[in-house]
Amino acid sequence: MDDALTDASAAIDSHVESSTDAGYEVPVATNIETHIEDENCQGGYWAFVDIDLSRYEGKAVKLNITLPQNLLTKIDSYVDHHREYGSRSGFLAALARKELANA
């Protein structure tokens, strides 16, 4: 099972990388209920493979934005307490991804 998960991770990585290199968008994850009800997804094992899709978005570009000081202070404080974002930029990028996924 461990080998299958490793192989699945590598296969997803290769697929998404080649798709984005060809100019396609990173696929949007679907709800698990969609797969549970799909006849083609029956009779096997279920597992989750964590893939960091942010690495397929292209190179980082520096930009200059203007925000109110109080908002920036709140963002920095939030990021200090939620290190999963890594930085102010990581936090803003995560929020942008979330909003765009809901669009």
Side-chain angles (χ1 to χ4, degrees):
M1 192 64 166
D2 289 337
D3 289 342
L5 291 175
T6 300
D7 292 346
S9 180
I12 293 168
D13 181 58
S14 294
H15 171 70
V16 174
E17 183 175 23
S18 64
S19 294
T20 55
D21 286 348
Y24 296 103
E25 294 288 322
V26 173
V28 176
T30 56
N31 193 313
I32 192 164
E33 281 77 24
T34 303
H35 301 296
I36 290 173
E37 296 171 6
D38 186 341
E39 289 181 19
N40 294 321
C41 297
Q42 304 305 310
Y45 294 98
W46 287 90
F48 290 95
V49 178
D50 189 26
I51 306 292
D52 180 10
L53 296 177
S54 66
R55 60 180 273 209
Y56 306 105
E57 294 176 337
K59 71 176 192 143
V61 176
K62 187 174 183 173
L63 73 146
N64 184 14
I65 63 171
T66 304
L67 295 173
Q69 179 62 49
N70 288 340
L71 178 59
L72 192 57
T73 300
K74 288 179 182 180
I75 291 170
D76 289 343
S77 176
Y78 189 85
V79 170
D80 284 344
H81 292 92
H82 297 86
R83 295 309 304 165
E84 66 269 19
Y85 293 108
S87 67
R88 180 190 299 159
S89 294
F91 173 76
L92 295 174
L95 285 179
R97 284 185 203 98
K98 180 180 176 184
E99 286 299 315
L100 292 171
N102 293 329

